[in-house]
């Protein structure tokens, strides 16, 4: 809710794609600065407490925005939301396998994505409908309240499970000890990823994917304005809502596909190609009868990519899982940051549809390059094994 409303309000306040990109980019920069720290902290301390604190601080940030709704404050609060969100998302993703020990990672991520998609549909469509009858301040206040309610829910539901994540937390370290431990933790995750070629390639592809994703994050509010300038928030909510319905469908199909479990990486690359193609087609028209079905399809493939990506990362060991998700969060936010810098420049030079084509076309090329790299590295490995035998 806060993302859509803040995007719409800043666009109405300034009538500038540059301001919109700046607000989106500020959220990303906040996430970039906190991602690696969040990963290390999530492996050392209580992940539950990190989630609770993140929710409280995000809710408080929105309350502060309500008191000072100026363009500059939108930038500051977007930064804060991005900064605190990393701590929540990294802790949440790393803790899931421990909370659902009887289920596979694919089933867990499908369930989480389904619930998230349902809430997105309610949030986006609800925001779109509410925006026509109440002020944006009311919607932001409602969203702030939801963070506080979630923090309370976490305290109640996970209270009995508030245990130390690992045995690595020892006493109250001083600043020098903490910094040294942080550097050691980062070195460990660097060594781990260096030995995991396919995982490293997948993380690299996710960087380019988030670079491409900045185009439709900026593009959908602008597309909604093209459809109807007077009711842009409504149409933006409808597009994102239908996209969320596609997400829900993906969560129902992916866990039932037996071949997916044994070929997670392959499906990740193939579905990622389809996702970028779908976004390119979505922005190729301003006809609602064309846009709405494409939004549904795009949501389905985008949801599938998210499920597969999270499952691949959650298959890592618990002791290092938080830092792997921290690296993932850093890479993703860097991709968004670069994308939000490039997007407004492209918008000035080309049309909206061509901008999306360039951005997501880059994603498709990177995936093809990744598949070729994996193929040739596999062939080379087999030849070396044959020669050594």
């Amino acid at each position: 809710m806060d993302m859509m409303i803040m995007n719409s309000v800043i666009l109405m306040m300034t009538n500038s794609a540059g301001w919109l990109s700046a607000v989106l980019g500020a959220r990303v920069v906040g996430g970039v600065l906190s991602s690696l720290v969040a990963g290390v902290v999530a492996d050392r301390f209580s992940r539950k407490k990190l989630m609770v604190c993140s929710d409280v601080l995000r809710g408080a940030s929105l309350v502060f925005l309500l008191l000072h709704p100026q363009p500059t404050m939108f930038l500051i609060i977007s930064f804060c939301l991005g900064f605190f969100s990393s701590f929540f998302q990294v802790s949440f993703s790393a803790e899931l396998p421990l909370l659902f020990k009887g289920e596979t990672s694919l089933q867990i991520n499908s369930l989480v994505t389904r619930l998230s998609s349902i809430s997105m549909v309610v949030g986006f469509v609800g925001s779109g409908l509410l925006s026509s009858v109440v002020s944006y301040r009311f919607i932001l206040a409602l969203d702030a309240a939801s963070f506080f309610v979630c923090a309370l829910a976490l305290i109640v539901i996970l209270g009995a499970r508030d245990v130390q994540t690992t045995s690595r937390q020892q006493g109250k370290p001083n600043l020098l000890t903490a910094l040294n431990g942080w550097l050691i933790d980062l070195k460990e995750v660097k060594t781990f990823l260096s030995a995991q070629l396919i995982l490293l390639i997948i993380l690299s592809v996710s960087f380019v994917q988030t670079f491409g994703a900045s185009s439709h994050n900026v593009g959908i509010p602008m597309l909604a304005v093209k459809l109807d300038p007077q009711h842009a928030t409504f149409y933006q909510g409808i597009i994102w809502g239908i996209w969320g319905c596609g997400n829900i469908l993906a969560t129902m199909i992916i866990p039932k596909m037996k071949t997916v479990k044994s070929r997670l990486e392959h499906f990740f690359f193939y579905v990622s190609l389809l996702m970028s193609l779908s976004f390119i087609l979505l922005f190729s028209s301003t006809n609602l009868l064309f846009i709405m079905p494409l939004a549904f399809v795009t949501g389905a493939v985008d949801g599938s990519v998210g499920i597969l990506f999270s499952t691949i990362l959650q298959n890592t060991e618990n002791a290092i899982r938080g830092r792997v998700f921290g690296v993932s969060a850093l890479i993703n936010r860097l991709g968004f940051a670069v994308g939000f810098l490039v997007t407004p420049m492209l918008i000035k030079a080309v049309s909206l549809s061509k901008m999306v084509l360039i951005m997501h076309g880059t994603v498709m090329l990177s995936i093809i390059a990744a598949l070729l790299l994996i193929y040739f590295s596999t062939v080379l490995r087999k030849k070396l094994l044959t020669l050594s035998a």
Side-chain angles (χ1 to χ4, degrees):
M1 292 175 74
D2 63 79
M3 184 186 76
M4 193 183 83
I5 293 301
M6 289 175 71
N7 291 351
S8 296
V9 172
I10 198 67
L11 201 54
M12 287 187 291
M13 277 184 175
T14 65
N15 194 31
S16 167
W19 266 100
L20 175 60
S21 291
V23 168
L24 288 167
R27 189 183 295 241
V28 171
V29 171
V32 167
L33 294 178
S34 63
S35 295
L36 285 182
V37 176
V40 172
V41 173
D43 278 344
R44 282 183 172 268
F45 302 100
S46 167
R47 292 168 182 164
K48 184 204 103 173
K49 289 179 180 177
L50 288 173
M51 288 187 276
V52 171
C53 290
S54 174
D55 273 342
V56 170
L57 290 169
R58 285 186 289 178
S61 298
L62 288 173
V63 170
F64 197 79
L65 179 61
L66 288 170
L67 299 175
H68 306 279
Q70 302 298 324
T72 304
M73 192 55 62
F74 273 75
L75 282 176
I76 295 171
I77 297 305
S78 290
F79 174 87
C80 293
L81 291 172
F83 187 88
F84 300 132
S85 291
S86 286
F87 286 94
F88 182 93
Q89 195 57 49
V90 168
S91 299
F92 179 73
S93 299
E95 190 71 4
L96 275 177
L98 299 181
L99 296 175
F100 297 89
K101 291 182 178 178
E103 304 289 338
T104 65
S105 293
L106 193 63
Q107 291 172 316
I108 297 166
N109 289 309
S110 296
L111 173 62
V112 170
T113 302
R114 185 180 311 147
L115 295 174
S116 300
S117 299
I118 291 170
S119 76
M120 278 194 294
V121 171
V122 174
F124 284 132
V125 176
S127 297
L129 295 174
L130 284 173
S131 64
S132 61
V133 293
V134 298
S135 71
Y136 74 87
R137 291 189 180 191
F138 177 85
I139 301 173
L140 287 180
L142 186 63
D143 196 38
S146 74
F147 281 117
F148 295 131
V149 170
C150 287
L152 181 62
L154 281 168
I155 292 170
V156 173
I157 295 170
L158 300 182
R161 306 187 189 197
D162 186 15
V163 295
Q164 187 176 306
T165 303
T166 70
S167 60
R168 305 174 67 192
Q169 180 185 4
Q170 296 178 355
K172 295 182 178 180
N174 58 40
L175 180 61
L176 185 60
T177 305
L179 179 60
N180 184 56
W182 183 69
L183 294 173
I184 291 172
D185 283 351
L186 291 182
K187 185 177 180 181
E188 284 182 5
V189 75
K190 177 180 177 292
T191 303
F192 173 79
L193 291 174
S194 299
Q196 305 288 328
L197 176 62
I198 294 181
L199 182 57
L200 198 58
I201 290 173
I202 287 172
L203 287 170
S204 301
V205 168
S206 76
F207 168 81
V208 188
Q209 283 179 323
T210 48
F211 167 80
S214 61
S215 67
H216 61 257
N217 276 275
V218 172
I220 286 179
M222 298 181 72
L223 179 61
V225 170
K226 278 189 172 186
L227 293 173
D228 189 342
Q230 301 302 318
H231 301 93
T233 305
F234 170 77
Y235 281 104
Q236 188 187 166
I238 293 299
I239 292 171
W240 281 120
I242 293 176
W243 179 88
C245 290
N247 258 231
I248 295 170
L249 178 66
T251 66
M252 299 168 68
I253 294 175
I254 292 294
K256 296 179 180 179
M257 298 174 65
K258 295 181 180 179
T259 53
V260 172
K261 296 178 183 179
S262 59
R263 305 186 68 189
L264 286 172
E265 292 83 2
H266 292 84
F267 273 91
F268 169 79
F269 289 119
Y270 300 145
V271 178
S272 294
L273 278 172
L274 184 58
M275 179 188 68
S276 286
L277 177 61
S278 299
F279 273 117
I280 291 170
L281 294 174
L282 175 63
F283 284 89
S284 65
S285 173
T286 54
N287 187 332
L288 271 176
L289 294 178
F290 183 81
I291 290 171
M292 295 310 175
L294 258 296
F296 183 84
V297 172
T298 302
V301 290
D302 195 19
S304 301
V305 170
I307 293 169
L308 295 169
F309 182 72
S310 295
T311 302
I312 291 167
L313 264 59
Q314 283 172 355
N315 284 341
T316 56
E317 294 180 5
N318 179 59
I320 203 167
R321 192 182 301 132
R323 279 165 287 167
V324 172
F325 272 102
V327 171
S328 169
L330 174 65
I331 288 171
N332 289 350
R333 283 160 176 78
L334 284 173
F336 272 121
V338 176
F340 287 137
L341 289 173
V342 172
T343 297
M345 292 188 287
L346 283 176
I347 282 290
K348 291 180 181 179
V350 298
S351 65
L352 178 61
S353 60
K354 288 181 179 178
M355 180 272 289
V356 176
L357 174 62
I358 292 169
M359 300 286 276
H360 275 286
T362 303
V363 177
M364 296 179 75
L365 289 174
S366 73
I367 294 169
I368 292 170
L371 288 170
L372 289 173
L373 177 60
I374 292 171
Y375 172 76
F376 286 116
S377 64
T378 302
V379 170
L380 180 61
R381 191 182 303 113
K382 287 181 178 179
K383 286 184 177 180
L384 290 173
L385 288 173
T386 302
L387 290 172
S388 62

